[in-house]
Amino acid sequence: FDEFNRIDIEVLSVVAQQILQILTGLKQEATSLHFEGVHIKLVSTLGIFVTMNPGYAGRSELPDNLKALLRPIAMMVPDLALIAEIMLGSEGFQNGKVLGKKLITLYSLMQQQMSKQDHYDYGMRAIKAVLVVAGAVKRVDPEMSEEVILLRAVRDMSLPKLVGPDVPLFNALCGDLFPGAEVPAMDYGDLMAAIKENLTANNLQHNEQVIRKVIQTYEAKACRHGNMLVGRTMTGKTTSWRTLQQAHGTLKKAEKPGWEKVHAFVVNPKSFSLDELFGGYNLVTREWTDGTLSSCMREACADEKPDFKWITMDGPVDTLWIESMNTVMDDNKTLTLASNERIPLTPPMRLLLEIENMREASPATVSRGGVIFMNDTDVGWAPFVASWIANREYETERGMLQKLFEAYVGKTFEWMRKNSVTIVPLPDINKVQHLCYILEGILGNGDNFAGQCKTMGGESAQQLIESYFVYGCVWAIGGGTFSDKQNDYRKAFDRFWRDEFKTIRFPEEGTIFEYAVSEDEFPLKIENEVLSSPFTPWGSRVVDYAHDQTMIYGNIYVATMETQRLTHLLDLLMPNKHACMFVGGAGTGKTTIVFDKLRSLDVDVYSNLNINLNCFTDSLLLQGAMESVLEKKTGRTFGPFGTKKMVYFIDDINMPQVDKYGTQQPIALLRQLFDYAGWYSRDKLTWRDIQNVQFVSCLNPTAGSFYIDPRLQRAYCTYAVQMPGAEALNLIFSSIMNGHANTGFAPDIVKRSDDIVKATIELSTAVASTFFPSAIKFHYIFNLRDVGNIMEGMLRSTVKNITTPLVMVRLWLHECQRVFMDRMISEEDVAKLGDMMDVTTKKYFDNLGFPAITQLPLSFTTFTTLDENESGKNPYCQVESEEILSGRLEEKLKEYNESNAVMDLVLFQMAVDHVCRITRVIDKPRGNALLVGVGGSGKQSLSKLSAFICGYEIFQITVTANYGMNDFRDNLLMLYTRAGCKGIGTCFILTDGQIVNERMMVFLNDLLASGNIPDIFTKDVKDEFSNAVRGDCKQAGIVDTPENLWDFFVEKSRRFLHLCLCFSPVGDKFRIRARQFPALVNCTAYDYFHPWPNDALISVANRFIKGVDGILEDDVENVAKHMAFVHTEVNVKSNEYLVSERRYNYTTPKSYLDLIEVYKFMLDSKKKGINQLKERLVNGLEKMNSAAEQVAELQENLIKDMALVEEKKIATDKLLVVVGQETNVAEEQKAAANVEAAKCEDIANEVMAFQAECEKEMAAAEPVIQAAVEALNSLDKKSITELKALASPPAGVDEVTAGVLVLLGGGKVPKDLSWGAAKKTMGNVDQFLNMLVSFDKDNTPVVACEWIEKNLFVKEGFNVATMKNKSSAAAGMCGWVINVVRYYRIYEVVEPKRILLAEANTKLDDANTKLTAVRAHVAGLEAKLAELNDQFSQATQEKNDAIAAAEKTQRKADMATRLVNGLADENVRWTEAVKNFDQQEAQFVGDVLVAAAFVSYIGAFNARYRNQLVNELWIPDMTEKKIPMTEGMQPLQMLTDEAEVAVWNGQGLPSDSVSVQNGAIIANCKRWPLLIDPQLQGIKWIKRKHLLQIAEAQPDDWNVEEKGVFEPDPEKAVTKEMKVIQLTQGKYLNAVELAISSGEPLMIENIREDIDAVLDPVLMRATIRRGRSLVIKLGDKEVEYDPRFMLYIQTKLSNPHYKPEIAAQTTLINFMITLD
């Protein structure tokens, strides 16, 4: 394993276990091994060898368990001289020993004397490379002197890498070691010609240094397969290798032998992650995804053509990707991938690195490649100028420009190097390039100059060109200068220019940057031998502002001198596709200027896309956003839709995260696009050419990285944008304010407009120069935005509601307070700002009356005035009184509670103020609020109320265990659908605890900054949203182009969607987020929630405890004041605690509300408990008093009871005799009835047997009857009609009809049975059929049956089958005749038996009738007997009851007598106890107050602070306020008792006072306890406290009757421990759900300083009632809540810093063991 310690330390630990497993197998001489779940063969000759260099950057220290398995071998520095001698000898050198020593000496001297450079290498690889080259030269030219050969090899291998100052030293060393040796010049005739030809073709100069570097690159490639071009930006690196590439192509085209074309695969390695570069496995699916570099190398490797393939890595070096290339750069020439694929470098392949420096490269990397270093001075800016001038069309113009460059540029650069700096580092050549681009924009291709020569004369034309050149110089070279608090470099540049260059003069007023060239000034005049100035002020070109009342304030643009001149520069540069960058602090107007320019572009020619970068933007996101507005053109070419040009506006270009190697991934991607006009697709990994795109960018050097990669910066024309001066600010805001005032306001108000603007600017300047940002006050950044925000508030005024200057000035003061004061985080800053406002107000508006201006309430809202103005929204006007405001808010709160979950808010003055502030922000278009305050301050509640007041729907995300970016993306799309498509006002309330992934801030930053979130708005989404607003867009009179539709949708979304961010200022997270995501502060209105003031605390306490049973009305105020005192003093002590103990403790308004809640609960609980005891004693006393009275009464009752007993005995005895007699009679009658029943049963059995026999015989007749019916059914009218129509029937048919006639004969055999008689009978077919059907089968004549049997049945052919062949009707009648006769024969046998059966049934009925009568008589006797028995039982019961009552009375009398005598003493004691309880109940007011405060606040403190708070502060204050309490009261007396403490001690709770106090707090707190428990005392006690013994269960087969009641065996009892989980374990929420629903205790142990946001509802006990049950929302689930559920949280951290939100949700309890 080479470079073994490049592996991460975590992986090395796993590798150690694997190696140990293998070595153990070898020691045991095993032949196979079960390794990582696979059975593998183990070969005994296995060996493990590791190489590593512990000193390199990015290397890990081997873990101890791995060190123990490997035997270390120290590799010493070898004898290089000996190696050199041997290698030279092997190459054929005769004088190897001497030459080897010279070589080593030379390298040793170079190492000692030359400058220290990252790319210098004097190690064995460098020496070996020289020796290999020397050997190659020796073989080519054996006759050359060996010294010359070695000197040539040393020179060729060393000179290219040397920096300029080291070259003379190197030549001197070579001259000393190789005296007299002259290296002949190499003949590169063909190559030199090809290089010059291509330089000319590319309009480049034949610069000697450039040509030398191209030759050196060629030589390096001939010697080594891996080389590095190193040098700063714009020193000719790319030009060198591209020129060499083109020269190869030229020579190949000329068919020169040995030359091949070159294909370059250019990759910027820093524009990809490592997996994207080399390939990697998907951790979930384990699928391999190829990388861009590996794909390029595989493609080059697979190409079998002889053409050269150069893998060009153009980008910064870091140890991660470059170390992965080590095997490619060394003799292995192989790229090894994590998939075990090995891609070799084929002979035509070469590796080329183009890098700025090698700071991050290890010596191993440096030694593996050849280095060609590009010095800054090698090329310079002159060749660029020469090439640019040479490209101009007119000779006169070229000569003029050459002179101007020589006259102005060099001197200016010289002064800049010594006296000035630019806002970001810019090389000289960038400034020259910038100057040329400006001149291109002004001069065009030269036709302008030619025309001017004709119109104004040659001299004037030259003066004009020089004027333009001066203008270009000022902005190209001086445009990047800036001013800060220490230096004003721009003014210094102005002074230098005026002093140095006096040919073309600027006016004296202002600075040279404030003027533009005016052709109207030509020809220039000569006054006092000085030319007049060709410049006019930019101010004269500023377009006047026209106010539009309907325009959203954010879209208002007021042109100023600064905007005008910068826009003019954009006008010059953008048509030629030159990239521009504005650099300046926040609020300087950079983005506004760019947006205005983009809006002014011709929509038929240009499209634009705004992309805000942030710290989470990576190259993948950026490329996706940029490609979303491109389409495929042809092949691999992509460009904007249609024929348009795309302008990318990259805002905050420096915001992407800087990795530890100082690079930014998105910047690397942009560099690839800038330099190579394309990039690689992320899916197919193929190259894409990107056409017709250009860039404008903004950079804020105070946020993100201070500057970007110089190799990208040099591609921009860069301008510093300064904060506008007072004059510019006055122009901007006077224009806006006067424009608004002139829309119908009173003249007195219009006159005040200028004063309002001046006062605003003066106040803003004073605030910015007084309040500076710091680590805590990082948001104290005051700039142009703040003045704009004040003016926006002023523009909300209406003519109807602002009728006097006083009201207008009060509005101004109110807006100043909101913009500036709401941002202040301390009372001192608020007071200081208030003083500054007073001073400014008096200065400008004192004549209106300062008291009147500042009169309270000073508040403007839209919800206190109900009449609506023209826009359909309530006007923004002042509140007349606090009562009106409070009343209105109370009404709104009541309305809110009627339709939403109830919020029990106390709207004290501070809460009212915050509601006004929030509504002010979200009630305006693009209004987003940033509410900052500790947890529990009411940010969310007041935001909900404010959104309700504004009529918005409220949305909050629901955090679940699996909530991620996709869920957040879906939520945002839903919000945009509501706001942008449906126009529903929506307030999105988000807390910092709900931000489960920092990448969510990326979306929020984009939402705030521009409303456009490229990461979620895919092309399909944009099309869907654009189509949704098409109708609205047309209705607004806007052409529905795709760009207009999208802009309309975004603007509409920003108007209806408002964000309320509720963040905590505690910790670094908020500060870091504000730095990483500038829109968080820049694009929101800040509202800081200060701690509640004392009057607010008292007001809230009064509200909640007023009317509480047990607190006298006189005590309510004092109790409320003491609660406020407790809260305030805990705050003070928390600060002391932090200073002295370095431990954090926070109190929040939520803590205070919990104190009140705990107090009310404990007071009610204690009152109920003592009232219950008192009630028992009072009841006891009443019983004792009545007992004596009852004793006498009991004695009298006893005598009456005894007499009654005797009477009952006599009556019972008499009744017993009668019962006996009646019983005998009933028994006799019952026996007689039984005899009759037996007789009936015999008769019934006979009848049933005879009936069964009859039914059996009748069953035989059923088939016959069925056959007869079927035979009839077969007859039909048709067949009978056909039969009777026959004159002569077939044989046998007449016999059938004869049989029918006989049966129908009515008991006689007809005389005429002929066919004719039959036809006559069948004459009426229907009547005939009816006769057959209705024939009485039971009464068939016997005569007919006998005739048929005798005359027909005996004939063989008389059957159905035979007749069917002759006639179907005859067959049917035949079957009928046969079956009727058969049936009758069966019937005449059965019928007699039926008659006998009927007689038997009659006999049975008679017997049953008799039996019924007998039984009825017996029943009557039994009823009478039963009645007598009941009477007897009742009499017996009455006798027994009388006896029992007498005995009970006797016992009761005895017991009452004993009770009265025994409790005579208790009567006195209980009477005294009742009086004591009354007194104790009155003192509960104070006793419970101490205990409640103790439980709510004391847990986080140690013993010393607990004692100070309770005994030195709280109790003395209660005594002072005369709150009733027990003398010598201590909290534990109210919270627990000795018996309970003893149980706790037995369960493992330490017996010291602090631990007992902690136990009492845990037992009584209403918030879940959070134990700070590094010694694990608390968690051990809690676990034992909730240890549950489960008895042995009764077996399922237990037989109680046989074995008796089951008694569990104590030895078989099972112990059930409480459930303990950690937040780091998988699916822990399942355990939480189970515990909540089953009502079991749960311990979350070993938490860190954050608690998963999904648990917030559990911590807050946010239960919801569903019918009769309670549920709690846990993520996206509703879990049934069992009130028995208990939650404990524990941390091992000894000094955790929990944010206030956690402190408000839990009760912190400090279990730390301390000395005291």
Side-chain angles (χ1 to χ4, degrees), residues 22 25-26 29-35 38-46:
I22 294 170
L26 291 175
E29 299 182 354
T31 57
S32 62
L33 183 67
H34 198 70
F35 184 77
V38 181
H39 205 70
I40 62 172
K41 185 179 178 182
L42 185 61
V43 181
S44 60
T45 54
L46 168 71

Side-chain angles (χ1 to χ4, degrees), residues 1164-1464:
D1164 181 61
S1165 175
K1166 292 294 182 184
K1167 278 182 62 63
K1168 283 180 179 177
I1170 201 166
N1171 284 335
Q1172 192 175 5
L1173 290 174
K1174 187 169 72 171
E1175 187 178 348
R1176 288 176 182 172
L1177 291 180
V1178 171
N1179 289 339
L1181 288 170
E1182 290 176 358
K1183 298 292 184 186
M1184 289 166 63
N1185 293 331
S1186 64
E1189 299 172 4
Q1190 293 175 3
V1191 170
E1193 185 180 345
L1194 287 172
Q1195 294 296 341
E1196 293 174 7
N1197 291 339
L1198 182 59
I1199 296 169
K1200 294 177 183 178
D1201 290 345
M1202 294 307 293
L1204 183 62
V1205 168
E1206 289 302 320
E1207 291 177 11
K1208 295 295 182 182
K1209 280 184 179 180
I1210 295 169
T1212 303
D1213 292 341
K1214 289 180 180 179
L1215 190 58
L1216 182 61
V1217 175
V1218 177
V1219 170
Q1221 294 171 351
E1222 292 297 328
T1223 301
N1224 293 333
V1225 174
E1227 290 296 329
E1228 290 173 3
Q1229 294 298 322
K1230 191 174 182 181
N1234 291 338
V1235 172
E1236 291 297 326
K1239 292 177 181 178
C1240 287
E1241 188 175 355
D1242 292 340
I1243 296 171
N1245 290 337
E1246 291 174 6
V1247 171
M1248 288 175 65
F1250 192 58
Q1251 184 178 359
E1253 184 182 348
C1254 292
E1255 288 176 351
K1256 182 177 179 183
E1257 292 179 356
M1258 283 301 295
E1262 282 301 319
V1264 178
I1265 296 298
Q1266 188 62 34
V1269 173
E1270 290 175 358
L1272 286 177
N1273 290 338
S1274 67
L1275 294 174
D1276 58 12
K1277 192 173 181 180
K1278 180 182 177 184
S1279 60
I1280 293 173
T1281 303
E1282 290 175 355
L1283 180 64
K1284 77 174 184 175
L1286 297 174
S1288 174
V1293 174
D1294 53 346
E1295 294 172 351
V1296 172
T1297 57
V1300 172
L1301 292 173
V1302 169
L1303 287 173
L1304 297 176
K1308 297 179 181 179
V1309 177
K1311 295 178 180 180
D1312 186 5
L1313 297 175
S1314 65
W1315 175 244
K1319 288 176 65 177
K1320 184 177 180 180
T1321 304
M1322 292 186 292
N1324 188 333
V1325 176
D1326 292 333
Q1327 185 179 352
F1328 175 67
L1329 286 173
N1330 191 45
M1331 289 167 63
L1332 296 182
V1333 171
S1334 60
F1335 182 77
D1336 186 2
K1337 298 180 288 296
D1338 293 344
N1339 296 309
T1340 304
V1342 178
V1343 177
C1345 290
E1346 290 173 348
W1347 189 90
I1348 290 170
E1349 290 171 345
K1350 180 178 177 183
N1351 295 300
L1352 299 180
F1353 281 8
V1354 296
K1355 293 185 178 182
E1356 186 178 348
F1358 192 83
N1359 57 64
V1360 175
T1362 303
M1363 291 301 161
K1364 191 173 281 188
N1365 295 327
K1366 298 177 180 181
S1367 167
S1368 60
M1373 286 187 283
C1374 179
W1376 180 76
V1377 170
I1378 291 169
N1379 287 302
V1380 165
V1381 173
R1382 285 179 182 171
Y1383 170 76
Y1384 181 73
R1385 290 306 182 191
I1386 294 170
Y1387 178 77
E1388 66 183 354
V1389 175
V1390 175
E1391 184 59 22
K1393 291 182 180 181
R1394 278 184 173 174
I1395 295 170
L1396 292 175
L1397 179 62
E1399 293 173 355
N1401 280 332
T1402 302
K1403 184 179 177 182
L1404 178 61
D1405 291 341
D1406 293 342
N1408 283 335
T1409 301
K1410 184 178 180 181
L1411 179 62
T1412 302
V1414 173
R1415 282 178 173 169
H1417 181 62
V1418 172
L1421 291 174
E1422 287 180 340
K1424 184 178 180 182
L1425 180 62
E1427 184 180 354
L1428 289 172
N1429 280 328
D1430 290 343
Q1431 290 175 4
F1432 177 71
S1433 297
Q1434 184 177 356
T1436 306
Q1437 182 64 40
E1438 288 176 356
K1439 180 186 74 172
N1440 293 337
D1441 288 347
I1443 295 170
E1447 291 174 351
K1448 182 178 179 182
T1449 304
Q1450 182 66 54
R1451 288 197 304 273
K1452 197 171 182 182
D1454 295 342
M1455 291 173 64
T1457 303
R1458 289 200 304 272
L1459 179 65
V1460 170
N1461 296 334
L1463 292 180

